[in-house]
Amino acid sequence: VVLAAVALVALAGDADALTAAMRYLLISMLGSLFYLLGVALLYHSSGSVDIAILAQRVEPSPAVWAAVGLMSAGLLLKTALFPLHFWLPPAHASAPAPVSALLSALVVKASFYILLRLWLDVFPLASQLNSPLSETALGQLLGLLGAAAVLWGGIQALRQTRLKLLIAYSTVTQIGYLILAFPLGTSMAWKGALYLLLSHALAKAAMFMAAGNIMRCCGHDYIADFDQVAQRLPLTTSAFAFAGTSIIGLPPSGGFIGKWMLLDAALRSGQWWWGIILILGGLLAAAYVFKAIGYAFTHAGVSQQARSVPISMEWTALVLALAAFLVGVCALWPLALMDIGLPFGVDGSG
């Protein structure tokens, strides 16, 4: 998967694309090295790499804690959690729009899913391992990194002059939201994180596809130089707006459902400070989404030669954006699906 993603990032063929692709390759290989070293330590201490067997055999030891650190660091590096996100914005900025959509919607989510499985199934540290490095301490540490990602990514997105870089830093923010489920550690928080993962995948893919349409029309993605994009590409503008409602967390979008569940989990667990981070992240998201939409209605300072965009490209972005919006309207079905098999524990503790 990594090699295929690296090749896709380098498709543009220019120096920036090749540099971003090589950086992505090296970072991915480093993350994989850390992860495999942790797997080797687990195999040495437990004699198996089967998740179900490891969940029964894991015992407190220096090797296990080293494995926890190595595997978590490798996965967080591949997930692009702050401050390990430095490879992600250049990769998005240099890659073609469909590649950016795929990278943001699927590739970085895979490592988060693996981290989630390890956290819930292999390393239930608070209940099994008698160690000063409890699950609570590790969860709070991850929560601090997630909160920093939400705030730093939102501020950086607001500062960007290019639309693709704005969306890329927004991805850093959204990854921070997912990590906020770890300090909460309840069934509601895990469900909220997974719901955010689904809605973000759809919304961010729509945003990158919309950015690609704008680049094809205007020949660039500099926000301040948009020239009547809303009039020339109404479906694309609508797609970006609908996707933006989910990124901000406005009701009844999928992003609202996920953030509401995280906020509810924060209040119920008495960790209200994470709720403040959720609200501040939503305000920052509103600022950079409205910034991009506002310039879509303006005239550029210099006249530009607009190029036509196939209607199928506009509809692709709009369908993805509507899906991210409708995921919130039809929330009962996905939430019922998450309850099948009680994947987050009967007692709701995660």
Side-chain angles (χ1 to χ4, degrees):
V1 175
V2 170
L3 293 178
V6 169
L8 290 173
V9 170
L11 276 179
D14 55 24
D16 290 338
L18 294 176
T19 301
M22 286 302 300
R23 182 185 293 114
Y24 178 33
L25 176 62
L26 294 175
I27 291 301
S28 296
M29 292 298 101
L30 182 61
S32 298
L33 176 62
F34 284 168
Y35 182 81
L36 291 176
L37 285 175
V39 171
L41 288 174
L42 279 182
Y43 182 77
H44 181 267
S45 61
S46 303
S48 176
V49 291
D50 183 90
I51 290 179
I53 296 176
L54 285 173
Q56 298 174 355
R57 295 183 180 177
V58 166
E59 296 180 355
S61 68
V64 170
W65 284 107
V68 171
L70 287 170
M71 297 175 76
S72 298
L75 291 171
L76 292 176
L77 184 61
K78 293 165 76 70
T79 306
L81 176 65
F82 176 89
L84 307 174
H85 68 287
F86 53 89
W87 61 268
L88 184 63
H92 279 315
S94 303
V99 176
S100 296
L102 183 65
L103 185 65
S104 180
L106 297 177
V107 176
V108 297
K109 304 299 191 303
S111 52
F112 172 78
Y113 173 75
I114 297 173
L115 181 64
L116 187 63
R117 288 293 306 275
L118 292 175
W119 189 270
L120 294 177
D121 295 334
V122 180
F123 303 130
L125 304 176
S127 60
Q128 291 187 14
L129 302 184
N130 183 19
S131 170
L133 289 175
S134 66
E135 187 182 59
T136 301
L138 290 176
Q140 293 297 320
L141 176 60
L142 288 176
L144 289 175
L145 294 177
V150 170
L151 300 179
W152 174 260
I155 293 172
Q156 290 301 312
L158 189 58
R159 296 181 56 197
Q160 298 308 307
T161 58
R162 290 185 55 192
L163 184 59
K164 288 192 69 177
L165 279 174
L166 182 151
I167 302 171
Y169 278 104
S170 174
T171 298
V172 175
T173 294
Q174 301 304 311
I175 291 171
Y177 286 127
L178 301 180
I179 300 298
L180 288 181
F182 287 89
L184 299 175
T186 65
S187 176
M188 181 70 72
W190 299 126
K191 291 178 184 177
L194 288 180
Y195 217 89
L196 271 180
L197 187 148
L198 173 62
S199 61
H200 171 259
L202 295 169
K204 198 51 64 72
M207 284 183 136
F208 274 117
M209 296 302 290
N213 294 345
I214 293 173
M215 290 185 68
R216 181 182 178 92
C217 176
C218 300
H220 63 83
D221 67 338
Y222 287 95
I223 299 172
D225 294 329
F226 286 169
D227 189 20
Q228 294 183 292
V229 169
Q231 290 83 358
R232 292 170 174 171
L233 300 173
L235 294 181
T236 294
T237 306
S238 300
F240 192 91
F242 273 113
T245 61
S246 186
I247 295 299
I248 296 170
L250 296 177
S253 66
F256 169 77
I257 301 297
K259 290 183 180 181
W260 181 264
M261 295 175 75
L262 286 176
L263 180 60
D264 182 71
L267 296 178
R268 287 178 182 271
S269 64
Q271 303 181 64
W272 51 266
W273 48 90
W274 303 125
I276 295 177
I277 297 298
L278 290 168
I279 295 172
L280 290 177
L283 293 175
L284 286 171
Y288 60 71
V289 168
F290 290 145
K291 170 186 174 181
I293 294 177
Y295 278 106
F297 290 89
T298 62
H299 290 270
V302 180
S303 60
Q304 302 175 12
Q305 183 67 34
R307 291 180 291 179
S308 62
V309 176
I311 192 65
S312 59
M313 293 176 62
E314 290 205 75
W315 272 108
T316 299
L318 184 58
V319 167
L320 288 168
L322 290 175
F325 190 82
L326 293 176
V327 159
V329 177
C330 307
L332 291 179
W333 297 338
L335 290 177
L337 184 63
M338 291 182 188
D339 287 330
I340 295 177
L342 298 176
F344 305 111
V346 178
D347 62 354
S349 64

